[in-house]
Amino acid sequence: MIQENIRLPNVTRVQEFTSAMREFDFEVALTSGRYVINGKSIMGILSLDLAHPIQVTAEVPEHKKERFLEVIRSFA
């Protein structure tokens, strides 16, 4: 399992994030406070408080970990 914190300070970054997540065929969860939403849902992400860091959690297959971390860390 991978857990990283990211920042999505505006709508443009949210769109970039959801586009980047479409590359992966596994579930990605975003947690902000007590809310957990689908990391591939623009509407879900926009319902979060974007002023604070958001935790990304995903069960990533071993052969995709390096690429996933590269993408996620571009939003740190």
Side-chain angles (χ1 to χ4, degrees):
M1 177 186 301
I2 291 178
Q3 290 184 317
E4 293 278 331
N5 286 328
I6 62 169
R7 289 197 173 269
L8 300 172
N10 55 50
V11 174
T12 302
R13 289 299 279 169
V14 170
Q15 290 173 326
E16 291 170 356
F17 181 81
T18 56
S19 292
M21 291 300 101
R22 287 189 203 119
E23 174 183 340
F24 304 105
D25 59 353
F26 48 83
E27 290 185 23
V28 177
L30 297 184
T31 305
S32 178
R34 63 184 177 137
Y35 300 102
V36 179
I37 56 99
N38 179 345
K40 297 179 182 182
S41 168
I42 290 176
M43 294 304 290
I45 295 171
L46 291 175
S47 71
L48 299 175
D49 181 0
L50 300 178
H52 296 93
I54 300 168
Q55 184 179 61
V56 178
T57 306
E59 290 288 341
V60 183
E62 192 63 39
H63 66 282
K64 295 184 180 183
K65 280 186 178 180
E66 187 175 326
R67 175 67 182 142
F68 184 72
L69 285 170
E70 177 184 328
V71 171
I72 291 301
R73 289 178 178 156
S74 71
F75 292 94

